[in-house]
Amino acid sequence: PGTSLLIWTAHVWTLPGNVGVAVNPDAEYVIVERDMPESEAAKDREPEKLILARAFLSRIFGEEPVRVYETFRGSKLKGLKYRPLFQFLIADKPAFRVVLDNLPITDVGSGLTQLAPAFDAHDLQLARQNDLPVLLPVGEDGTFVSDVRPWRGMFFKDAGTYIQQDLLERGLLFRIAVSY
């Protein structure tokens, strides 16, 4: 309770199709607590608690002071349920939980990867192994389906900026990092 998974994605437009989050069972993860940046909106907020791979602490937070609240292996997160960023589509089976993935943690992201099995073969394999649903927020024509109300009919690549703005306005976006 009161703790968020700090997930990473290279394709923000896939987030409406998210059904799970993958972590490496053998990697070391932490819960960190950080004070919210100074702003009018954050002045009355409690410190934020985030879960991420320990290996990324300095890259993600730099000189920002954070307190390591707890350290553990990724396997401890297996089955943890979370509140999804979007709930436009109804899943036909339980979703929105952490699963284990033996892929090594790379030098990008936070050590937690969102799963959108409709758009990625590896994500689809993990969804099948863990009995997760497959949500299809984008139709065959490449536009968001009508259930994805804010962006219905919009070409998926054109929606990225709008999805980021929505997450930012709801206080759910940590950072936008662009690399080419």
Side-chain angles (χ1 to χ4, degrees), residues 17-167:
N18 169 263
V19 296
V21 171
V23 299
N24 183 301
D26 299 319
E28 195 170 344
Y29 288 82
V30 292
I31 297 176
V32 297
E33 186 177 75
R34 69 189 272 260
D35 294 324
M36 297 303 293
E38 293 296 322
S39 73
E40 191 61 34
K43 73 178 186 179
D44 295 328
R45 290 182 64 184
E46 296 291 319
E48 178 178 48
K49 286 184 182 175
L50 300 167
I51 297 174
L52 68 149
R54 183 178 193 83
F56 298 125
L57 274 173
S58 62
R59 184 175 50 76
I60 289 173
F61 295 105
E63 297 298 316
E64 178 184 342
V66 295
R67 297 167 293 284
V68 175
Y69 190 77
E70 186 178 345
T71 302
F72 48 87
R73 293 276 171 222
S75 58
K76 181 180 177 182
L77 295 170
K78 182 181 180 180
L80 181 71
K81 295 178 182 176
Y82 63 91
R83 186 176 320 128
L85 298 173
F86 301 105
Q87 288 185 299
F88 300 122
L89 304 170
I90 298 173
D92 60 353
K93 56 176 95 173
F96 314 122
R97 58 189 159 89
V98 177
V99 301
L100 303 179
D101 185 6
N102 287 319
L103 283 180
I105 291 178
T106 62
D107 59 348
V108 296
S110 64
L112 293 97
T113 305
Q114 73 105 7
L115 300 176
F119 306 113
D120 182 86
H122 184 72
D123 290 6
L124 181 59
Q125 178 185 9
L126 284 174
R128 288 179 176 155
Q129 289 171 354
N130 292 280
D131 199 29
L132 291 170
V134 176
L135 300 180
L136 298 168
V138 175
E140 290 182 14
D141 65 352
T143 63
F144 278 100
V145 298
S146 62
D147 288 341
V148 184
R149 292 176 302 283
W151 310 295
R152 78 178 82 187
M154 186 179 290
F155 188 64
F156 72 97
K157 286 190 176 182
D158 296 337
T161 301
Y162 298 103
I163 293 170
Q164 289 174 354
Q165 185 62 35
D166 175 79
L167 294 171

